């Protein structure tokens, strides 16, 4: 990655852990993690946000996996950004592929949630990426472009400073299959060029574009060594403190000599 950008590593716990496991995972991360210039966030399930948030100290920030884009009202089961902020949340995922493809969220809904997160002062980690059949039919770049343009529709350049884009090829998520560093670099460079055309060169140079999809200690360093790969969004490997901290160390290492 570039030395201009601070790497970003997020741990997406998805619908995993219970209260005790979450607490012990955080304790282990605290005792294993070495200090360094990486932005680290964990994204526990909603019910544990406050408890985990109270345990966090130092450089780890608290993220949520989803939000609803209205302030309050008759939205049974949903959670607003003011509730999230009340729990200490400072970042939120939008457009994660499991929400797009399992729950059925549209580009429009992802956009509404992204805008709401940014208007509320949160960091939005906007997830994008193609499915296997889209990749096989040569649609990767078109899907990424559509999801970036739609996700950021109406987002100002000032707000973009609080956006992290996570490129997560859907076929690589939770499957053990990973994009090659070259494939990831190719996608990330195109996304950065798109941001330059939508905003400005400086906005494109500043935005963090992170990779997600079976990132593990064994492949993190080579992925993050790529000049446009600025960190990772980690699912499975974020549930093991040792693995998550090894990936954070790889992100720190990616700054050395780059
Ligand atoms: P994975 O998940 O690391 O388990 O592939 C990544 C993600 O869904 O963000």
């Amino acid at each position: 990655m570039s030395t201009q950008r601070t790497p970003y590593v997020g741990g997406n716990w998805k619908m995993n852990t219970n209260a005790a496991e979450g607490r012990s995972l955080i304790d282990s991360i605290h005792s294993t993690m070495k200090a360094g210039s990486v932005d680290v966030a964990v994204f526990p399930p909603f019910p544990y946000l406050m408890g985990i948030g109270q345990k966090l100290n130092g450089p780890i920030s608290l993220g949520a996996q989803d939000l609803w884009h209205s302030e309050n009202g008759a939205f049974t089961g949903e959670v607003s950004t003011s509730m999230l902020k009340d729990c200490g949340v400072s970042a939120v995922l939008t457009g994660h592929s499991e929400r797009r493809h399992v729950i059925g969220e549209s580009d429009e809904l992802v956009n509404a949630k992204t805008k709401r997160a940014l208007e509320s002062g949160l960091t939005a980690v906007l997830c994008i990426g193609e499915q296997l059949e889209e990749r096989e039919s040569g649609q990767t770049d078109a899907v990424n472009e559509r999801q970036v343009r739609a996700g950021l529709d109406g987002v100002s350049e000032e707000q973009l400073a609080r956006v992290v884009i996570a490129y997560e090829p859907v076929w690589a998520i939770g499957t053990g299959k990973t994009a090659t560093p070259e494939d990831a670099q190719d996608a990330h460079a195109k996304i950065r060029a798109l941001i330059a055309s939508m905003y400005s060169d400086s906005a494109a140079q500043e935005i963090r574009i992170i990779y997600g999809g079976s990132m593990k200690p064994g492949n993190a360093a080579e992925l993050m060594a790529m000049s446009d790969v600025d960190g990772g969004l980690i699912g499975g490997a974020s549930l093991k403190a040792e693995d998550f901290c090894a990936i954070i160390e790889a992100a720190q290492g990616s700054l050395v000599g780059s």
Side-chain angles (χ1 to χ4, degrees), residues 161-250:
R162 271 181 291 106
V163 174
V164 174
I165 294 179
Y167 168 58
E168 303 201 291
V170 180
W171 49 270
I173 296 180
T175 58
K177 292 183 191 146
T178 319
T180 65
E182 293 72 25
D183 283 343
Q185 169 59 25
D186 182 61
H188 284 224
K190 286 177 176 143
I191 295 162
R192 199 176 301 287
L194 176 62
I195 295 293
S197 76
M198 292 169 63
Y199 293 92
S200 66
D201 285 341
S202 64
Q205 282 315 307
E206 276 158 32
I207 195 165
R208 270 93 54 95
I209 305 175
I210 63 176
Y211 171 82
S214 300
M215 192 184 264
K216 308 227 169 329
N219 59 27
E222 58 179 13
L223 284 159
M224 292 191 285
M226 295 288 127
S227 59
D228 286 299
V229 179
D230 305 320
L233 185 58
I234 323 300
S238 73
L239 298 170
K240 283 197 202 135
E242 207 181 308
D243 287 359
F244 189 55
C245 292
I247 294 170
I248 295 166
E249 260 187 70

